């Protein structure tokens, strides 16, 4: 089983370098994923339109249409906009990473590829995407079934509003922080996430998602520990919330 899903996840790799495609194919197939590839942006968009992949791994530096432009076009298509995109590149400059996130990417993997890192990041974002969809469909499912799905996650999950008020958490989040569920539901995420900043400009806040960053969480006893945080926007009963998966 991969990424908390019952089906075999479909990943689209986009890179104009055949050797990179070969390496990534081998890593992902070894991880149990179904893999397809495209050698340029045009073919990638066509492939995604024919059959939506669960995740796209996208090279930045490609001729004719670079990865930034491919990602922007994906995000402009309502049928494709929610597919998570992980950028890959030999570039390591902060400005390039920022541009990748601004284009709509959820993460960034540097070259040369490290198998463990590739598989870990792919699993994280497929899990985040999967549980985001489950949460969005909460109104259509029984509360008991939803709670089982939510609790099956191997990582800590928080759902909170734009002001940071925590709406939902799973048992993994409680275990990691040392709080009970009742205690956390009375708290603001800022008491846990040391990097959280309340935004007065809600439109700007939402356009910054999805996003990924390294941060620190504060336990009930006051100790801090490092976490990788993956944020996305979800809709529940027509209201917008932040889904935060922490690994």
């Amino acid at each position: 089983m991969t990424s908390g899903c019952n089906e075999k996840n479909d990943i689209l790799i986009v890179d104009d370098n055949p050797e990179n495609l070969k390496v990534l194919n081998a890593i992902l197939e070894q991880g149990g994923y179904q893999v397809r590839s495209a050698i340029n942006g045009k073919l990638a968009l066509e492939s995604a339109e024919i059959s939506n992949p669960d995740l796209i791994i996208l090279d930045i530096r490609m001729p004719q249409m670079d990865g930034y432009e491919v990602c922007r076009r994906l995000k402009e298509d309502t049928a494709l906009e929610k597919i998570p995109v992980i950028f890959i590149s030999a570039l390591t400059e902060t400005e390039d990473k920022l541009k990748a996130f601004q284009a709509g990417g959820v993460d960034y993997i540097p070259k040369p590829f490290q198998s463990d890192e590739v598989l870990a990041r792919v699993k994280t974002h497929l899990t985040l995407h999967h549980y985001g969809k489950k949460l969005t469909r909460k109104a259509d499912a029984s509360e008991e079934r939803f709670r089982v799905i939510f609790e099956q996650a191997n990582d800590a999950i928080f759902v909170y509003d734009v002001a940071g008020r925590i709406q939902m958490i799973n048992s993994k989040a409680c275990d990691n922080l040392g709080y009970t569920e009742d205690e956390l539901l009375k708290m603001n995420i800022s008491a846990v996430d040391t990097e959280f900043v309340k935004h007065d400009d809600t439109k700007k806040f939402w356009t910054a998602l999805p996003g990924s960053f390294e941060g620190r969480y504060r336990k009930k006893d006051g100790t801090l520990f490092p976490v990788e945080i993956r944020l996305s926007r979800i809709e529940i009963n027509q209201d917008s919330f932040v889904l935060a998966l922490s690994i």
Side-chain angles (χ1 to χ4, degrees), residues 133-143 146 235-238:
K133 290 192 295 183
K134 293 293 186 182
L135 283 166
T136 301
R137 293 198 294 267
K138 179 184 176 183
D140 301 325
S142 70
E143 181 65 28
F146 168 75
E235 305 290 330
I236 302 177
N237 298 328
Q238 299 183 331

Side-chain angles (χ1 to χ4, degrees), residues 14-18 38-44 58-70 73 111:
V14 189
D15 198 316
D16 63 314
N17 186 321
I39 60 172
N40 59 50
K42 182 176 182 295
L43 291 176
L58 179 61
D59 188 31
I60 290 178
R61 292 289 181 256
M62 296 186 295
Q64 299 179 344
M65 189 188 305
D66 65 20
Y68 301 130
E69 180 60 25
V70 175
R73 294 194 186 191
K111 300 176 185 176

Side-chain angles (χ1 to χ4, degrees), residues 117-156:
E117 180 179 18
V118 171
L119 292 174
R121 291 182 184 273
V122 166
K123 180 180 179 181
T124 293
H125 290 290
L126 283 172
T127 301
L128 181 59
H129 184 57
H130 173 67
Y131 285 103
K133 290 192 295 183
K134 293 293 186 182
L135 283 166
T136 301
R137 293 198 294 267
K138 179 184 176 183
D140 301 325
S142 70
E143 181 65 28
E144 181 180 357
R145 182 186 175 195
F146 168 75
R147 176 54 62 179
V148 170
I149 293 169
F150 197 55
E151 291 297 334
Q152 283 178 345
N154 293 323
D155 301 302

